[in-house]
Amino acid sequence: MRVRLKRERLLDLIARSGLTQNHWAIKLGLSRGHWSGVVNGKHPYPSARTRERQDFGAAIADRYVIDREVGQGGMGTVYLARDVKHGRQVAIKVVSPEAVSGIGVQQFLKEIRYSARLQHPHMLPLYDSGEAAGYPFYVMPYVRDGSLRDLLKSNQRLSLDRTLAIARGVCAALQH
C-alpha cells in the first residue's frame, strides 16, 4: 500500500518524536539514501505531476525556466515561468495528454494556431505553443492580478458597475 505524506508533515512528525531520522528510516524499512531522498523532497518514485514538471521543464529549459506552479485545473497545470530570450514573466499552460486524447495533439495545436490569430483588448495574446516531452502547451502573458475566479473568491459581492464592465468585456471577446 502506498501512502502519500507531505514532506512538511513528515518533518513535523520527526521533530515532535523522540526518534532520530535513522530510527525512522529503520522503522519504515528504508535505506539511508532512500530516506534522505524522502526528507529532501527528491523521492525516487515521484508522482505523475512531479514527473510532468521535471520532464517538461527540462524539455523547454532552453526557452523557459519554470519558477512555480500557479494553478491546476481539469485540462492541465499552469506554471509561472521566465522567458529566457525576452526576459519576461509568462504563464505556461501544460495540457495533460488525457485532455487532448479525444481530438489528438496535432488537432489541438492547430486550434491553438487559430486562437493565436485572434487579437482583441479583452483577450490574452498567445506568445508560443508546441509540444515538449509529450505534453502540449501554450504560453501567454502572466497576469499578476489573478483570474476572474480569484476576484470572485476574494470579494463576496462585486458592485453592479464592476460586474457589468466584466460581463461586457467577456461578451465583446466572445463576439470577436
Side-chain angles (χ1 to χ4, degrees):
M1 176 174 81
R2 294 182 85 176
V3 177
R4 190 173 299 266
L5 182 65
K6 294 191 182 270
R7 181 174 173 263
E8 292 78 25
R9 175 85 173 118
L10 177 64
L11 293 175
D12 182 51
L13 287 170
I14 293 169
R16 286 190 287 133
S17 77
L19 299 176
T20 66
Q21 287 191 14
N22 285 337
H23 283 99
W24 273 99
I26 293 167
K27 276 183 162 291
L28 295 172
L30 303 172
S31 69
R32 194 179 299 182
H34 187 207
W35 175 255
S36 174
V38 169
V39 172
N40 293 316
K42 296 179 180 147
H43 195 276
Y45 306 106
S47 67
R49 207 160 126 197
T50 302
R51 282 193 309 274
E52 170 193 302
R53 182 173 177 175
Q54 291 171 344
D55 296 346
F56 180 77
I60 63 164
D62 60 327
R63 296 185 288 170
Y64 303 101
V65 176
I66 294 177
D67 291 331
R68 65 180 170 87
E69 182 178 314
V70 175
Q72 186 165 13
M75 284 187 58
T77 309
V78 178
Y79 296 103
L80 172 64
R82 284 174 280 132
D83 182 338
V84 174
K85 183 176 181 181
H86 299 105
R88 60 185 171 192
Q89 284 190 317
V90 295
I92 301 177
K93 172 82 174 219
V94 181
V95 181
S96 67
E98 296 83 23
V100 295
S101 63
I103 63 169
V105 173
Q106 294 309 314
Q107 181 64 30
F108 175 78
L109 292 175
K110 185 177 178 181
E111 290 180 21
I112 289 294
R113 281 194 300 276
Y114 290 138
S115 298
R117 295 179 192 160
L118 297 174
Q119 291 185 348
H120 189 272
H122 295 288
M123 296 174 74
L124 287 174
L126 289 174
Y127 290 157
D128 192 8
S129 64
E131 182 182 7
Y135 298 97
F137 72 96
Y138 54 93
V139 181
M140 301 183 333
Y142 175 65
V143 179
R144 294 187 200 301
D145 297 335
S147 66
L148 178 58
R149 178 179 292 154
D150 295 337
L151 177 66
L152 293 174
K153 282 182 183 177
S154 67
N155 296 324
Q156 297 262 336
R157 215 169 239 213
L158 298 177
S159 69
L160 180 60
D161 291 340
R162 182 86 190 264
T163 303
L164 289 174
I166 292 170
R168 284 187 189 110
V170 171
C171 290
L174 287 172
Q175 182 181 16
H176 180 71

